[in-house]
Each structure stands twice: as C-alpha cells, then as structure tokens.
Amino acid sequence: FSWRCWLCAVSRNGDGERVGYQEVWEMIIRKAIAEDLESVNILVNIHRKEFGFIRKVSLACSIDRREMLVADSSGEIIGFARYHHRRDMQTTLYDIAVSPAQRLNGVGRALIGALADESRILGKQTIVLRCPEELLANGFYAHMGFERWREEPGKRRKLIVWRLSLS
C-alpha cells in the first residue's frame, strides 16, 4: 500500500489566471516500518504541546500492527498518521502530524486521503478523531470535510469529536 504524490506550484499571470504548473517535489505515503520509528518520535516530540505524552513503545506497537502511515519525501519522514481500524465500521485517527517546514504543502491532506482510501477498502464507513478545542488543527479537519460531531470532556481540556463519512 503506497500513494505517490506530487506537489505542484501554480504559475499565474498579472490577471491571476493560471498559466502553468511547475513540479516542486515528490512524496510517497506508505505504511510505516520499524526504521521510521526514530523519525516519527522526533515529530511527536516537536508536537508534544498538541499531543501530550505519547510513549515510543506505543508508536512501535502501531507500526507493528501496520496502523501508521508516513509521508516520505526522498527518504525523509515529513509526516505521519496513527490510527486503528475498529471491528465495526469505523476507523479512529489517533494522531496526525506534519513537519513544521512542510505545513500547508498538502502533506496532511495526502495522509488523510490515503487513510480514507485504506479505510474504504476495508469496508469502513467513517473516520473519527478527537481534537482539543483550542488547537488550530480543528480548522484543518473542517477544511478536509470532517463534520463537527460532538464535544466531550477530556482529562485536562474539552475535546471536539470530528467524523468523516467515507460513503
């Protein structure tokens, strides 16, 4: 399972009309492997404020269960998504992160797209996630087509529960 993506910059003339595209870089979305653990752990540590504490062993277990996707650009891990396909019709997205240098370049969109494709192949109908209310990521989920489903109390902060229909 892998996705190959190209990020393209759009060239526009003085009137704002598109006049061409220029390929900038290539990225592959693939299942994480054991050798990706250190790079993923670095991304987790960069995003510690958003995630809280995630144990390295939990990341390793997700890799072993084949429940983690990574965005690989020329051998560099620039993003990841950790999830679980439940026995019912739902996939739960636990964590998603993109290297700060690669934000707004389509990496998160590609990770969500690949997870949605994998979930559909497995017969899942929804992707559900929880995000602390104050995080900017909530805007990303809304932009990606997730529906704000409900609110839940968290241990230390209120959580927004988002749901993406795959049908």
Side-chain angles (χ1 to χ4, degrees):
F1 177 85
S2 68
W3 265 36
R4 181 161 284 174
C5 309
W6 289 269
L7 176 68
C8 295
V10 177
S11 301
R12 298 184 184 273
N13 65 17
D15 296 327
E17 298 169 337
R18 289 185 195 164
V19 294
Y21 298 92
Q22 177 183 10
E23 184 176 312
V24 178
W25 52 269
E26 179 183 15
M27 150 180 80
I28 296 172
I29 305 297
R30 60 171 173 78
K31 291 285 191 176
I33 57 175
E35 290 79 9
D36 299 326
L37 180 59
E38 290 303 322
S39 297
V40 169
N41 196 49
I42 289 169
L43 284 173
V44 166
N45 289 330
I46 289 170
H47 296 88
R48 187 169 300 271
K49 178 184 172 219
E50 293 87 354
F51 290 147
F53 183 74
I54 299 175
R55 295 177 1 172
K56 194 172 179 181
V57 68
S58 296
L59 300 172
C61 286
S62 292
I63 291 171
D64 288 345
R65 289 191 313 265
R66 300 188 47 77
E67 292 184 333
M68 184 184 296
L69 297 173
V70 293
D72 181 331
S73 178
S74 302
E76 178 185 357
I77 303 304
I78 59 173
F80 79 94
R82 189 169 68 106
Y83 55 91
H84 174 66
H85 296 298
R86 295 174 16 160
R87 291 182 188 200
D88 60 9
M89 304 306 284
Q90 177 182 308
T91 296
T92 302
L93 177 59
Y94 294 132
D95 315 296
I96 183 169
V98 174
S99 168
Q102 296 298 333
R103 288 199 188 128
L104 302 175
N105 284 337
V107 178
R109 175 180 297 279
L111 286 163
I112 295 287
L115 178 58
D117 284 352
E118 179 180 318
S119 298
R120 281 187 198 96
I121 289 167
L122 295 173
K124 306 305 175 188
Q125 294 179 349
T126 58
I127 297 174
V128 174
L129 66 92
R130 288 161 180 77
C131 183
E133 177 182 50
E134 73 278 3
L135 294 185
L136 294 175
N138 287 295
F140 168 72
Y141 300 128
H143 182 73
M144 289 297 303
F146 283 80
E147 165 197 4
R148 187 177 174 141
W149 190 19
R150 64 179 186 252
E151 296 178 4
E152 293 180 351
K155 290 180 183 175
R156 285 176 254 117
R157 47 194 179 176
K158 186 169 28 173
L159 301 174
I160 307 299
V161 182
W162 294 92
R163 177 172 61 180
L164 179 66
S165 173
L166 300 175
S167 53

